[in-house]
Amino acid sequence: MYLAEQVAIVTGGSRGIGQAICLTLARLGATVVAAARNKDRTRSWVAAAGDGMQRIVPTVLDVTNREQVNAVIEEVAGRYGRLEGMDRVIKEGLAV
């Protein structure tokens, strides 16, 4: 797959553009951390999306809370490797 072994954090991942980006990245092989304030909404659409979406990991994140942002980055880095291994952080369609 094109993005195999790549990791992306997508904020706003519970709906709309963020959801579409999560789905696209997962279909291309990336591991996707779908960060949003509403984890249940994210879990719901991930379950409905079907096969291959195990690569999408819902997590709670309010991007206005610096402590939560730092905690999610640390968690992702710890889970998937060094921080340099985190390839993309995406905010509502804009790579940062």
Side-chain angles (χ1 to χ4, degrees), residues 7-56:
V7 177
I9 298 174
V10 179
T11 65
S14 65
R15 61 187 175 157
I17 293 170
Q19 178 182 347
I21 291 169
C22 290
L23 287 166
T24 299
L25 292 172
R27 287 180 181 133
L28 292 172
T31 297
V32 180
V33 178
R37 290 176 293 183
N38 190 325
K39 187 175 182 176
D40 291 335
R41 181 183 298 159
T42 306
R43 281 185 181 153
S44 178
W45 73 253
V46 169
D51 291 339
M53 297 303 112
Q54 306 89 313
R55 290 183 199 81
I56 300 175

Side-chain angles (χ1 to χ4, degrees), residues 71-95:
V72 167
I73 290 172
E74 287 178 25
E75 179 183 340
V76 170
R79 186 179 212 180
Y80 299 106
R82 300 176 311 188
L83 194 56
E84 294 85 31
M86 190 180 333
D87 303 292
R88 305 280 184 271
V89 178
I90 299 171
K91 167 75 171 99
E92 296 173 10
L94 302 174

